[in-house]
Amino acid sequence: MKLVRQTLGSLGRTFIGYLVHISRLVALTKKALFWTFVAPWKGRGGIRWKSTIHQMVLIGFNSIPIVATICFFVGLIMAMQAAYQLERFGASIYVADLVGVAMTRELGPLLTAIIIAGRSGSAIAAEIGTMKVNEEIDALQTMGLNPVRFLVVPRLLALLIVLPCLTIIANLVGILGGFFLAIFNLNISFIRYFHQTADALVMKDLITGLIKTIFFAMIIAQVGAYQGFIVEGGAEGVGKSTTASVVASIFLIIVADLIMTMIFYSTL
């Protein structure tokens, strides 16, 4: 009986802890959205564009090689798997349909978000966490500067701008991976593959993928910033928060992707 009480007590404390984290994350998100989209119009503080552009270079431009390389290989692998099945029915040309639709609807936005969560979400948590440990955030508040406006808004705005751009690059490079396999392994001409991909894709595929990136960007920025703000325990705490930010971001990205896919494409 005592063991049951201890187990239930532990589960209850863990559940309440998660609820506390969620409520604080929602509160931080509200503040970030206010300082990004409302406060500048009310004259309560403009956007720090110089810092935002700096973050766009770090998060967006510097991520292009890794995003492009991974999405190219994923497109290539997906085409190999599809060709293996479709060749039996003489329908190899439909590799173009599968790769094009899968990349634009799902894999392009999802892979890009996961890569950026691992690369830049962790960096956001580490940067803000290090500032917290060194009491630089307390110094900002002492000087009358709002930490959310000063630290979170440039990173959130940069992610909202660069993540859709990176996703478009991921889509194109992924389709290019399938194109390479079709040209050199399936003997499908460039013109035929191009027309087949164009016929398979509709504007809804691209638009829904880009809508997903808006929510993914907010998840990465807010989870990274939140984990930075709650760092405790010096360098060890920074490491734990960095790891937690990556795990939580990827989990929330997949949950958000599931919800949006149900909204856009569910046939239930």
Side-chain angles (χ1 to χ4, degrees):
M1 194 65 184
K2 183 180 178 182
L3 181 62
V4 173
R5 282 202 301 271
Q6 288 177 340
T7 304
L8 291 176
S10 176
L11 289 174
R13 285 190 293 274
T14 303
F15 180 69
I16 291 172
Y18 280 126
L19 291 181
V20 170
H21 283 303
I22 291 172
S23 65
R24 290 176 179 173
L25 183 60
V26 171
L28 177 63
T29 304
K30 287 180 179 176
K31 290 179 184 176
L33 292 175
F34 172 80
W35 287 105
T36 304
F37 298 109
V38 180
W41 295 98
K42 291 187 174 181
R44 295 182 58 183
I47 301 292
R48 298 176 62 240
W49 285 109
K50 188 175 180 181
S51 178
T52 301
I53 293 171
H54 177 65
Q55 291 296 327
M56 288 171 64
V57 173
L58 292 178
I59 298 171
F61 183 77
N62 292 350
S63 300
I64 290 176
I66 184 69
V67 169
T69 303
I70 289 177
C71 288
F72 178 81
F73 288 142
V74 169
L76 198 60
I77 292 167
M78 194 162 41
M80 287 180 190
Q81 294 287 0
Y84 178 75
Q85 298 294 331
L86 293 172
E87 269 188 325
R88 303 177 184 180
F89 308 100
S92 301
I93 187 60
Y94 291 107
V95 169
D97 297 54
L98 192 148
V99 174
V101 172
M103 287 304 301
T104 52
R105 282 188 186 182
E106 196 64 48
L107 292 180
L110 189 61
L111 285 174
T112 305
I114 289 174
I115 293 167
I116 296 301
R119 184 181 181 278
S120 301
S122 59
I124 291 171
E127 289 168 4
I128 296 178
T130 303
M131 293 182 70
K132 173 79 182 299
V133 170
N134 294 331
E135 299 182 347
E136 294 177 41
I137 294 177
D138 294 336
L140 288 175
Q141 291 175 319
T142 303
M143 290 187 292
L145 299 174
N146 187 300
V148 175
R149 173 177 171 264
F150 197 81
L151 299 173
V152 181
V153 171
R155 290 165 173 81
L156 172 62
L157 203 54
L159 274 163
L160 288 172
I161 296 171
V162 301
L163 202 60
C165 300
L166 286 172
T167 299
I168 292 173
I169 294 173
N171 292 342
L172 293 175
V173 174
I175 292 172
L176 186 66
F179 166 77
F180 262 69
L181 181 89
I183 295 294
F184 297 108
N185 190 263
L186 303 177
N187 297 319
I188 299 174
S189 69
F190 168 78
I191 298 296
R192 193 177 174 208
Y193 191 91
F194 177 81
H195 282 297
Q196 190 69 26
T197 302
D199 289 341
L201 294 177
V202 294
M203 188 57 70
K204 181 183 176 183
D205 297 330
L206 179 63
I207 292 174
T208 54
L210 294 181
I211 290 173
K212 289 180 180 180
T213 62
I214 302 299
F215 292 94
F216 295 164
M218 292 181 61
I219 289 171
I220 296 168
Q222 295 311 303
V223 172
Y226 176 71
Q227 289 294 337
F229 282 128
I230 64 171
V231 163
E232 291 180 350
E236 185 181 356
V238 174
K240 289 180 179 177
S241 281
T242 302
T243 304
S245 75
V246 175
V247 175
S249 295
I250 292 175
F251 174 77
L252 292 175
I253 285 169
I254 292 174
V255 171
D257 184 60
L258 172 64
I259 294 171
M260 284 184 279
T261 301
M262 290 171 65
I263 293 172
F264 294 135
Y265 296 105
S266 176
T267 57
L268 297 177

